[in-house]
Every structure is written in structure tokens, then in C-alpha cells.
Amino acid sequence: GEFNPQDLANTAWAFATSGVDAAQPYDAIAGAAEPRLGDFHPQNLANTAWAFATAGVGAPGLFAAIAGAAQPRLLGDFNAQDLANTAWAFATAGGGAR
């Protein structure tokens, strides 16, 4: 079946924490996630950004899309941990979209 937003975020997190450094799985996750980021809960957005930054995967399109999906919800929907993880991910990834 098709991955839901939490499945995509969890898969990205699993690859990053296990040290997978091949581009193909991250490219597949980014491709599946980008058009659906509006459906992601704040924790899913934060975890996806964290995973890509932790893995050192350059994904400027994904980070721009995460920024677009997160911006209107940052202060109202993100808890402190989600906000901190997202800020860290953007800083670590070189800022992505501003």
C-alpha cells in the first residue's frame, strides 16, 4: 500500500538514525512527501526535516516545500520540540528556503 505521512517521516527517521547514506531512498521519500506535505502533522514535518539534515542529504526542494507547509502553522500548531527540531534541521541543512 501507499505510505501515509507518518510512514514517510518514520522511514526517513529510520534511514537517518541507521546511517544509510545512499541517495536513492531519500530521493524516493522526498518525491513521495513533497506533494503531500500539507497533510503532514507538525511532528511529521519536523521529523522529516530532521532526518534529511541528520543524514546530510541535500534536498533543497524538500526543505522549501517543508518551509511552505510549516510557515502558516509554526506558532499555532508546532510544539516546542517540533519547532526546535525544525529550526535545527534548517540550520544544519544550510538554511534551505528562507
Side-chain angles (χ1 to χ4, degrees), residues 15-31:
F15 282 130
T17 57
S18 66
V20 170
D21 62 359
Q24 186 177 10
Y26 295 103
D27 291 345
I29 293 167

Side-chain angles (χ1 to χ4, degrees), residues 28-82:
I29 293 167
E34 280 183 44
R36 300 173 55 200
L37 289 172
D39 297 330
F40 278 48
H41 293 293
Q43 183 177 2
N44 303 144
L45 292 170
N47 289 352
T48 301
W50 179 92
F52 275 75
T54 296
V57 174
L62 176 65
F63 275 88
I66 289 172
Q71 186 176 12
R73 302 176 353 184
L74 279 178
L75 296 179
D77 296 340
F78 277 62
N79 66 32
Q81 187 68 57
D82 298 335

